[in-house]
Amino acid sequence: MSDAGNLPRAGDLGLIGCHVCRLVCRDVEAEDAACPRCGSPLHKRKSNSYMRTWALLIAAFIFYVPANVLPIMRTVSLGDVDDNTIMSGIIELWVKGSPDLAVIVFTASIIVPMLKFVALGLLLVSSQQGSRWALRQRSKLYRLVEFIGYWSMLDVFVVALLTALVQFGFFSQVEPLPGVVFFGLTVVITMIASMTFDPRLIWDGRDFDD
Amino acid sequence: MTDDKKITGDLPEPVVRKPRINASLVWLVPVIAALVGLSLVIHAWSAAGPTISISFQSAEGLDPGKTVVKYKNVVIGKVSTVRLSEDRSHVVAKVALEKSARSFATADSRFWVVRPRIGLGGVSGIDTLLSGAFIGADVGQSQEPKDDFVGLETPPTVTHGAPGKTFDLHADDLGSLDIGSPIYFRRIQVGRVSSYHLNEDGKGVTLQIFIDAPNDKYVTTSSRFWNASGVDVSIGADGLKVNTQSLATVLAGGVAFQDPPGPHDATQAQENDAFTLFNDKGTAMAPPDGEPRYIRMRFNQSLRGLAVDAPVEFLGVPFGRVVSINLDFDEKTQTFPTIVGAVVYPDRLGKAHDKLVALAKARGDDEQMSQMMGRLVERGLRAQARSGNLLTGQLYIAMDFLPKAPKVEFDGRSKPLEIPTAPGDFDKIQQQIADIVGKLQKVPFDSIGNNLNDTLAELHKTLQQVNGSVLPEVKTTLQGAQKTLGNANNAFAPDSPLQQNLGGSLQELQRAARSLRVLTDYLGDHPDALLRGRRADDKPLQAPPPPPPQDAPSQGSKP
């Protein structure tokens, strides 16, 4: 609309840049073009970005279900076996007098992954439809998703640390349970999904094509 | 427009390579994820066993999502929810069993909450102090599915499939026994009481006991069980005897069993065989009671000292006990007879009973007891209230044959059987004493006394006379007699001159006799000698040896 609309973009000028050696080549509109200098594949946008991001996002979402349903950690203290799922752990923290910790864990383990699903979904849908709504904010949202991605590994770290540290036989023991694997997978796949998403697609509004 | 903007300088052309793998392969990731998720669901679904609900009196120690169900210390399920029943009388715990534990959702499975328990028998479930309670399970043999259980409040003492045998014991009351009370055989614990319940009619208790293998083989069909609780103190000729089982038994109760001494049926008892639980070893070892029979006796006397449970003896063999003592009123005689009811066990008479029954059968008496009794009553069988203890005056009922007893009518058909009675020994004695006293009263003791007195005075006088005059004379007479005897003694002593003279005289007499015989012999041979005298050539009279006894008479008879 504004200045941005008038300024030329690389695609408009028939140019394509190599992501690896930064060589600018002529866009030959070929699907499988490669950089003549370093040999890495050339593409205007990340190839099949929508499809891959969708696929990964869906996969992450599927894994997110067992991650929450299955227990992630077993604590054995004085013979008292206690299996915790993410949510039951948070509730226990809250009930047993650590609401601050409960909030942190809730944020890292529930809010952040959910936020990533929602944010990525929103970005994907809006970009696929070529919406020109809130372009800058959507770009910020994408950067936020990339940034907070690894923070949701908090639960995995906690379980890994406790498992390593708390091994006192009968008195106290912590074991990881399958849930944490699925939770880790969810986090990793959402991170990959956010990486496969090409933020330039946000700006590839329909208006620019015409 | 766009063409204008294109930069057509000497920019490098990208190389075109053969197409890479189709990007749509990325869909494999969600597909795999879906497969994994699906497999999880399938796995969870297939691993999920039946859900059962168990009702307990209290939810103490039951924690939804945490409390597990264990069988042989292996987790077979978990409590998913605990809620109050609709009538608020108990709690219902929903338990999700594992698939492998499907067999636990059958009709005779048992569930109970394992909590730490401290009893006289020991401490159990101490591990639950730290780990919290869990639900113990025991599976039965039933195949019938069931998903609604009533939890036991106490752990079962016997788990299904434990090697051993279960037996039933019938007792009058439970005593100090409880579930888990030990069973002793020769003072070794071989089992325990597994359950007990009141009999349907409320007239006793049935205990179920479990004897562990291999000791269950010592239970035979003739084994006797008795309550071993308590202390048995007896004072005998050999001093004070205290007889107990273990100290725990004294406190918590227990049962002991043993075979009776002597020959008995030693076949092993079968599972669920029933036995009688006796109160003490003495009763247990007594001959078997057999079927109890009720008899009634009517006494026309005071029965002070007869108490319920007093023994009934048959010829000295205890074979029953008194169960009731009631007063009756007889309008005809205006007296108050006492009706005594007793339970007797004919089997206790042992061989005698067996033989009597056999005889009765042989005779064709169908009412074995009553007709048999009728015959016995004819022969003088009577019941008597006898004094068992002169100090306390306690009575017992003795059934004895009194041949002199007056005849009575006996109705063998009456129910209960009424045994005719005879006055007891004590009564008889009382009566006899009364007779004696009556007779004694009739004796004229006064006149007898007076006469006796006079007689004694006369006697006194006579004796005085005797003392004064007769005795001194007697003395002198005795002295004279003594002297005479002394003289006689002197005369007849072996060394006295009289004796010696007598011997000499006798020898002389002998000699004279011999001379006379020689003379007669000579004269027999030579009668002429009387005229001519003795010839010179003749041997002197003493010279010829005494002729042999045969010759002498023959020679003498010649002339």
Short mmCIF file of all heavy atoms in Angstrom, two decimals, chain A residues 29-56:
data_model
loop_
_atom_site.label_atom_id
_atom_site.label_comp_id
_atom_site.label_asym_id
_atom_site.label_seq_id
_atom_site.Cartn_x
_atom_site.Cartn_y
_atom_site.Cartn_z
N GLU A 29 12.84 -19.69 -13.35
CA GLU A 29 11.51 -20.27 -13.09
C GLU A 29 11.56 -21.78 -13.07
O GLU A 29 10.55 -22.45 -13.21
CB GLU A 29 10.50 -19.78 -14.15
CG GLU A 29 10.39 -18.29 -14.26
CD GLU A 29 9.52 -17.66 -13.18
OE1 GLU A 29 8.72 -18.39 -12.55
OE2 GLU A 29 9.67 -16.46 -12.91
N ALA A 30 12.73 -22.33 -12.97
CA ALA A 30 12.84 -23.80 -12.94
C ALA A 30 12.64 -24.30 -11.51
O ALA A 30 13.04 -23.63 -10.55
CB ALA A 30 14.19 -24.25 -13.48
N GLU A 31 12.05 -25.48 -11.40
CA GLU A 31 11.74 -26.02 -10.06
C GLU A 31 13.00 -26.43 -9.31
O GLU A 31 13.12 -26.24 -8.11
CB GLU A 31 10.81 -27.23 -10.19
CG GLU A 31 9.33 -26.88 -10.27
CD GLU A 31 8.83 -26.17 -9.03
OE1 GLU A 31 9.06 -26.69 -7.93
OE2 GLU A 31 8.21 -25.08 -9.14
N ASP A 32 13.94 -27.02 -10.08
CA ASP A 32 15.08 -27.63 -9.41
C ASP A 32 16.39 -26.92 -9.76
O ASP A 32 17.40 -27.55 -10.08
CB ASP A 32 15.17 -29.10 -9.80
CG ASP A 32 13.90 -29.81 -9.40
OD1 ASP A 32 13.55 -29.76 -8.19
OD2 ASP A 32 13.25 -30.39 -10.28
N ALA A 33 16.35 -25.62 -9.70
CA ALA A 33 17.56 -24.86 -9.99
C ALA A 33 18.54 -24.98 -8.85
O ALA A 33 18.15 -25.10 -7.69
CB ALA A 33 17.20 -23.38 -10.20
N ALA A 34 19.83 -24.91 -9.21
CA ALA A 34 20.87 -24.98 -8.19
C ALA A 34 21.87 -23.86 -8.43
O ALA A 34 22.03 -23.41 -9.55
CB ALA A 34 21.56 -26.34 -8.23
N CYS A 35 22.50 -23.48 -7.35
CA CYS A 35 23.46 -22.38 -7.43
C CYS A 35 24.64 -22.82 -8.30
O CYS A 35 25.21 -23.89 -8.06
CB CYS A 35 23.92 -22.01 -6.03
SG CYS A 35 25.23 -20.78 -6.03
N PRO A 36 24.99 -22.06 -9.30
CA PRO A 36 26.11 -22.45 -10.17
C PRO A 36 27.43 -22.40 -9.43
O PRO A 36 28.39 -23.06 -9.81
CB PRO A 36 26.05 -21.41 -11.29
CG PRO A 36 25.37 -20.24 -10.70
CD PRO A 36 24.40 -20.75 -9.68
N ARG A 37 27.50 -21.66 -8.32
CA ARG A 37 28.79 -21.54 -7.62
C ARG A 37 28.97 -22.61 -6.54
O ARG A 37 29.93 -23.34 -6.54
CB ARG A 37 28.87 -20.15 -6.98
CG ARG A 37 30.27 -19.87 -6.43
CD ARG A 37 30.51 -18.42 -6.17
NE ARG A 37 29.72 -17.92 -5.05
CZ ARG A 37 29.72 -16.65 -4.70
NH1 ARG A 37 30.44 -15.74 -5.36
NH2 ARG A 37 28.99 -16.23 -3.70
N CYS A 38 27.97 -22.67 -5.63
CA CYS A 38 28.17 -23.61 -4.50
C CYS A 38 27.33 -24.87 -4.64
O CYS A 38 27.49 -25.81 -3.88
CB CYS A 38 27.90 -22.93 -3.19
SG CYS A 38 26.15 -22.55 -2.93
N GLY A 39 26.41 -24.88 -5.59
CA GLY A 39 25.65 -26.10 -5.86
C GLY A 39 24.45 -26.29 -4.97
O GLY A 39 23.75 -27.29 -5.09
N SER A 40 24.20 -25.41 -4.04
CA SER A 40 23.03 -25.59 -3.18
C SER A 40 21.77 -25.20 -3.93
O SER A 40 21.82 -24.36 -4.81
CB SER A 40 23.19 -24.77 -1.91
OG SER A 40 23.45 -23.43 -2.24
N PRO A 41 20.66 -25.80 -3.60
CA PRO A 41 19.43 -25.51 -4.35
C PRO A 41 18.99 -24.08 -4.20
O PRO A 41 19.17 -23.45 -3.16
CB PRO A 41 18.42 -26.47 -3.71
CG PRO A 41 18.97 -26.86 -2.42
CD PRO A 41 20.45 -26.78 -2.53
N LEU A 42 18.43 -23.60 -5.29
CA LEU A 42 17.97 -22.20 -5.32
C LEU A 42 16.44 -22.22 -5.35
O LEU A 42 15.82 -23.03 -6.02
CB LEU A 42 18.47 -21.51 -6.60
CG LEU A 42 19.96 -21.21 -6.69
CD1 LEU A 42 20.26 -20.63 -8.08
CD2 LEU A 42 20.37 -20.22 -5.62
N HIS A 43 15.86 -21.38 -4.52
CA HIS A 43 14.41 -21.21 -4.67
C HIS A 43 14.06 -19.83 -4.16
O HIS A 43 14.70 -19.28 -3.24
CB HIS A 43 13.63 -22.28 -3.91
CG HIS A 43 14.32 -22.78 -2.66
ND1 HIS A 43 14.55 -21.98 -1.59
CD2 HIS A 43 14.85 -24.00 -2.34
CE1 HIS A 43 15.17 -22.68 -0.65
NE2 HIS A 43 15.39 -23.91 -1.10
N LYS A 44 12.99 -19.33 -4.76
CA LYS A 44 12.58 -17.98 -4.41
C LYS A 44 12.10 -17.97 -2.96
O LYS A 44 12.39 -17.07 -2.19
CB LYS A 44 11.44 -17.51 -5.34
CG LYS A 44 11.92 -17.02 -6.68
CD LYS A 44 10.82 -16.31 -7.42
CE LYS A 44 9.85 -17.34 -8.00
NZ LYS A 44 8.83 -16.69 -8.86
N ARG A 45 11.26 -18.91 -2.65
CA ARG A 45 10.78 -19.09 -1.27
C ARG A 45 11.22 -20.48 -0.81
O ARG A 45 11.58 -21.31 -1.63
CB ARG A 45 9.24 -19.01 -1.23
CG ARG A 45 8.70 -17.69 -1.74
CD ARG A 45 8.91 -16.61 -0.69
NE ARG A 45 8.43 -15.33 -1.18
CZ ARG A 45 9.20 -14.42 -1.77
NH1 ARG A 45 10.48 -14.64 -1.94
NH2 ARG A 45 8.72 -13.27 -2.17
N LYS A 46 11.13 -20.75 0.49
CA LYS A 46 11.42 -22.10 0.95
C LYS A 46 10.43 -23.03 0.25
O LYS A 46 9.22 -22.79 0.26
CB LYS A 46 11.24 -22.20 2.46
CG LYS A 46 12.37 -21.49 3.22
CD LYS A 46 12.19 -21.59 4.73
CE LYS A 46 13.28 -20.83 5.43
NZ LYS A 46 12.99 -20.65 6.86
N SER A 47 10.97 -24.05 -0.35
CA SER A 47 10.11 -24.87 -1.20
C SER A 47 9.06 -25.60 -0.38
O SER A 47 9.32 -26.10 0.71
CB SER A 47 10.97 -25.87 -1.98
OG SER A 47 11.69 -26.65 -1.07
N ASN A 48 7.87 -25.64 -0.90
CA ASN A 48 6.73 -26.31 -0.26
C ASN A 48 6.56 -25.92 1.20
O ASN A 48 6.23 -26.73 2.06
CB ASN A 48 6.86 -27.82 -0.35
CG ASN A 48 6.91 -28.28 -1.79
OD1 ASN A 48 6.10 -27.82 -2.61
ND2 ASN A 48 7.85 -29.13 -2.10
N SER A 49 6.85 -24.67 1.45
CA SER A 49 6.85 -24.23 2.85
C SER A 49 5.51 -24.49 3.53
O SER A 49 5.44 -25.02 4.64
CB SER A 49 7.17 -22.74 2.90
OG SER A 49 7.17 -22.30 4.22
N TYR A 50 4.43 -24.13 2.84
CA TYR A 50 3.10 -24.34 3.45
C TYR A 50 2.87 -25.80 3.78
O TYR A 50 2.50 -26.15 4.88
CB TYR A 50 2.01 -23.87 2.47
CG TYR A 50 1.89 -22.37 2.35
CD1 TYR A 50 1.92 -21.74 1.11
CD2 TYR A 50 1.70 -21.59 3.51
CE1 TYR A 50 1.79 -20.38 1.01
CE2 TYR A 50 1.59 -20.23 3.39
CZ TYR A 50 1.63 -19.61 2.14
OH TYR A 50 1.51 -18.27 2.05
N MET A 51 3.14 -26.61 2.76
CA MET A 51 2.84 -28.02 2.92
C MET A 51 3.65 -28.62 4.06
O MET A 51 3.15 -29.31 4.95
CB MET A 51 3.16 -28.76 1.62
CG MET A 51 2.49 -30.10 1.50
SD MET A 51 3.27 -31.05 0.24
CE MET A 51 2.64 -30.25 -1.23
N ARG A 52 4.97 -28.32 4.06
CA ARG A 52 5.82 -28.90 5.10
C ARG A 52 5.41 -28.39 6.48
O ARG A 52 5.32 -29.16 7.43
CB ARG A 52 7.28 -28.49 4.84
CG ARG A 52 7.84 -29.23 3.66
CD ARG A 52 9.27 -28.82 3.41
NE ARG A 52 9.69 -29.36 2.12
CZ ARG A 52 10.96 -29.56 1.81
NH1 ARG A 52 11.91 -29.26 2.69
NH2 ARG A 52 11.27 -30.07 0.64
N THR A 53 5.16 -27.10 6.55
CA THR A 53 4.83 -26.55 7.85
C THR A 53 3.52 -27.15 8.36
O THR A 53 3.41 -27.55 9.51
CB THR A 53 4.71 -25.02 7.77
OG1 THR A 53 5.87 -24.53 7.08
CG2 THR A 53 4.66 -24.41 9.15
N TRP A 54 2.58 -27.24 7.44
CA TRP A 54 1.31 -27.88 7.84
C TRP A 54 1.53 -29.29 8.33
O TRP A 54 1.05 -29.69 9.39
CB TRP A 54 0.34 -27.90 6.66
CG TRP A 54 -0.53 -26.67 6.54
CD1 TRP A 54 -0.64 -25.84 5.47
CD2 TRP A 54 -1.45 -26.18 7.51
NE1 TRP A 54 -1.53 -24.83 5.71
CE2 TRP A 54 -2.05 -25.01 6.98
CE3 TRP A 54 -1.79 -26.56 8.80
CZ2 TRP A 54 -2.99 -24.26 7.67
CZ3 TRP A 54 -2.72 -25.81 9.48
CH2 TRP A 54 -3.30 -24.68 8.93
N ALA A 55 2.29 -30.04 7.54
CA ALA A 55 2.52 -31.44 7.89
C ALA A 55 3.16 -31.55 9.26
O ALA A 55 2.73 -32.33 10.12
CB ALA A 55 3.40 -32.11 6.85
N LEU A 56 4.21 -30.74 9.48
CA LEU A 56 4.92 -30.81 10.74
C LEU A 56 4.03 -30.35 11.90
O LEU A 56 4.05 -30.92 13.00
CB LEU A 56 6.20 -29.99 10.68
CG LEU A 56 7.27 -30.59 9.76
CD1 LEU A 56 8.41 -29.60 9.56
CD2 LEU A 56 7.79 -31.90 10.32
#
